[in-house]
Amino acid sequence: MENRVTKNLYFIPYALWIALFVIAPILLVLYYSFFNIEGALSLENYQKFFTPVYLKMTLSSFWYAFLITAITLLIAYPTALLLTKTRHKYLWLLLLIVPSWINLLLKAYAFLGIFGTYGMANSFLEVIGIGSQQILFTDFSFVFVSVYIFIPFMILPIFNALNELNPTLTDAANDLGASRLTTFWRVTLPLTLDGVKVGCQIVFIPALSLFMLTRLIAGNRVITLGTAIEQHFLVTQDWGMGSTIAVFLIIIMFLFMKLTGSRKRGI
């Protein structure tokens, strides 16, 4: 009885935190979504969201988020696999994670210099004979910088899943005559799929609502739902439409988390 009371007391701060900083903001966003730009109660914002402009923006956000997540996964999985086989794997993992501690804005400004007309990237292209190119303010620069920023967050859960994998399982597959590729597809990948799902969640959800990189790196040539929310709240002052987009963004995020969530396996 006393242990139960103690557990309930420990639960109070957690419940208050969730109520104040998760549930309350969502309810506030939902509340504002029912008011138009004149402040009148209306469903106008929801009707406007299903117009071609916002539907195209939603598809664009999905495409870029999928592209960023896919490229990040293709780079992160082999990297995490290689890390687990190195001698000082935790040191190398730390070195890969350290860049994520740097402020996002500082990294974005650094790439403005790297991809600029007189930056390192164009200097390298001139040396190899290609010549100066317009790299900044393109889809390529946006995806490249986004992948660079999100890679550590994809590597970490995959590394943990691979590191916890029982090596006797892969050894058994090899002893039974399976090739390395077959062992990977039939043993390693299925058993580390939960780490892949967590990594995809960590990357896809923030990538879906990016707005700062679309301005600084893509020069507003890439328009996402995050960009639209920022525009409505800070420029047009249409909080209702911004909240409506945020509501759909939250719904999409919850659906993605549900689809990629880990399922408990029966014993």
Side-chain angles (χ1 to χ4, degrees), residues 138-152:
T138 61
D139 290 7
F140 167 79
S141 61
F142 170 70
V143 173
F144 184 94
V145 176
S146 299
V147 168
Y148 165 78
I149 288 169
F150 287 124
I151 272 182

Side-chain angles (χ1 to χ4, degrees), residues 40-80:
L41 191 64
S42 171
L43 293 175
E44 179 184 336
N45 297 323
Y46 286 90
Q47 294 172 348
K48 194 185 295 183
F49 184 83
F50 289 99
T51 57
V53 174
Y54 288 100
L55 290 177
K56 184 179 178 181
M57 196 181 300
T58 304
L59 289 175
S60 176
S61 298
F62 264 102
W63 167 245
Y64 283 110
F66 169 77
L67 194 61
I68 291 165
T69 305
I71 296 173
T72 305
L73 178 60
L74 288 174
I75 298 172
Y77 200 103
T79 304

